[in-house]
Amino acid sequence: MSSRLYHLPLTLLALVPFVSGHGYVAQVAIDGKDYYGNVPNANPVPSIVRQIDDVSPVKGAANPYLNCGQDAQLASLVANANPGSQMQFWWKGGDGSNWPHNIGPIMTYMAQCVSMTCDQYNSTNAEWFKIEETGLQPGDMVWYQQNIMNGGPSNVTLPPTLAPGQYLVRHEIIALHLANEMGGAEFYPSCTQVNIQGDQSDVAPASAEVTFPGGYSDTDPGIYDPTIFDTPVQYTFPGPPVVSFAASGSDTSSPTSSGFSSTSAGAPTASPTASSSGSGSGGQCRLGVGQATFALQPRRPRSVSRVMRRWWESMVGSS
């Protein structure tokens, strides 16, 4: 039996969850201008991305860190953006490798920094409205999060008619590889500080705004999902619908190549190539067609522990 342990199939090893992967937003670009985030819990440098202190996921929909991430601190910079600006978010694993997860939605919210600049704004009571949500690629088998795992960015178009002012952009990945168990969902929110210029006039109605925590429940079908590994996937986004004036303007990417290259200083350099797909507006996930194509993944088992147990029993039984 012991000799067989050294021949554990790679496909089975791939089912074992990442223990220390996790991650954070390492870089943001606005209309092609790059801004770098800080490594969690490192000595900070000036940035527009609020620094978190831990790459581990936020767990539980009532967790106060659901707002901007693990003990997120005010960032010292605010970047100018225009109505309709293109933002790109590059996620990295905690060890500097690619983002480690590929199951679950990507969503983006905004909240105005009321009565002060965003570098001074405490977001505890911020009112967030959703500007995009991205789930499954055509065929409902592969998540767009897989593209981030492949090293590409997530693209977001800021609403073209949003009223000017300073805003937090809350870009969030929810990893659902453990979501078939209550409380298993992993939340990865990140907040970026921007100043929207122009003379537009649209503002989100109160009915479209939520707080974090408060915007989600652990029992929401898009957060607790016993059928998450059934294919084709039937998925319902949590949170409010995409605000009406953003629904036609959001543009979430399906990148086709890695967005990072290393420099001598260790800072990532963007080289994005992306095609675009439509954004949903709540309800079940049915997104527009992206140009990138990816191999469809086989149906995954409902429980990694169940697979391991059956494999172990078969090894013991045949020894």
Side-chain angles (χ1 to χ4, degrees):
M1 178 183 71
S2 60
S3 64
R4 296 190 181 189
L5 292 176
Y6 294 100
H7 295 87
L8 184 65
L10 291 178
T11 53
L12 186 55
L13 284 173
L15 297 174
V16 179
F18 288 90
V19 175
S20 59
H22 309 315
Y24 66 104
V25 170
Q27 178 182 344
V28 175
I30 302 176
D31 293 332
K33 183 175 181 178
D34 296 324
Y35 302 87
Y36 299 107
N38 283 287
V39 174
N41 209 32
N43 290 329
V45 298
S47 176
I48 65 172
V49 183
R50 294 193 171 186
Q51 183 185 27
I52 58 174
D53 71 350
D54 194 333
V55 298
S56 298
V58 176
K59 299 287 285 186
N63 193 318
Y65 291 154
L66 194 63
N67 196 289
C68 280
Q70 298 279 20
D71 196 25
Q73 300 298 305
L74 299 175
S76 60
L77 303 179
V78 180
N80 286 332
N82 294 307
S85 280
Q86 301 292 312
M87 295 189 69
Q88 294 177 306
F89 298 84
W90 280 270
W91 291 79
K92 277 293 196 181
D95 58 359
S97 61
N98 281 0
W99 174 252
H101 304 301
N102 64 351
I103 299 174
I106 308 160
M107 295 181 288
T108 308
Y109 295 80
M110 296 184 72
Q112 189 161 18
C113 298
V114 180
S115 301
M116 65 186 67
T117 57
C118 282
D119 59 331
Q120 301 294 321
Y121 181 65
N122 183 338
S123 62
T124 301
N125 296 315
E127 298 285 343
W128 301 93
F129 55 95
K130 187 186 289 183
I131 65 168
E132 71 87 27
E133 54 190 15
T134 304
L136 293 151
Q137 298 184 35
D140 297 338
M141 300 281 283
V142 179
W143 297 84
Y144 275 102
Q145 191 183 151
Q146 176 69 50
N147 301 338
I148 299 177
M149 189 181 194
N150 292 346
S154 175
N155 284 8
V156 175
T157 299
L158 296 182
T161 60
L162 179 63
Q166 296 214 354
Y167 291 84
L168 291 177
V169 180
R170 181 182 179 274
H171 191 62
E172 176 184 41
I173 291 176
I174 305 181
L176 297 179
H177 54 283
L178 301 176
N180 55 344
E181 300 178 359
M182 183 67 70
E186 297 183 355
F187 302 95
Y188 296 91
S190 175
C191 288
T192 298
Q193 302 172 173
V194 300
N195 177 45
I196 306 296
Q197 304 177 98
D199 58 359
Q200 315 76 239
S201 59
D202 275 335
V203 295
S207 60
E209 295 178 321
V210 296
T211 60
F212 287 112
Y216 301 151
S217 167
D218 286 323
T219 59
D220 286 347
I223 293 173
Y224 168 58
D225 190 346
T227 67
I228 192 64
F229 296 121
D230 290 352
T231 54
V233 180
Q234 300 291 318
Y235 184 72
T236 301
F237 289 101
V242 172
V243 71
S244 60
F245 57 84
S248 61
S250 55
D251 173 22
T252 303
S253 71
S254 53
T256 58
S257 66
S258 174
F260 278 98
S261 60
S262 296
T263 68
S264 59
T269 301
S271 56
T273 56
S275 58
S276 64
S277 69
S279 169
S281 57
Q284 289 195 337
C285 176
R286 291 291 185 275
L287 297 183
V289 176
Q291 297 174 1
T293 57
F294 297 86
L296 296 183
Q297 297 177 337
R299 175 170 174 163
R300 293 176 180 266
R302 288 180 178 273
S303 170
V304 171
S305 60
R306 186 182 306 168
V307 172
M308 294 294 290
R309 183 172 63 252
R310 289 179 179 173
W311 172 82
W312 182 259
E313 290 172 351
S314 69
M315 294 297 100
V316 173
S318 58
S319 60

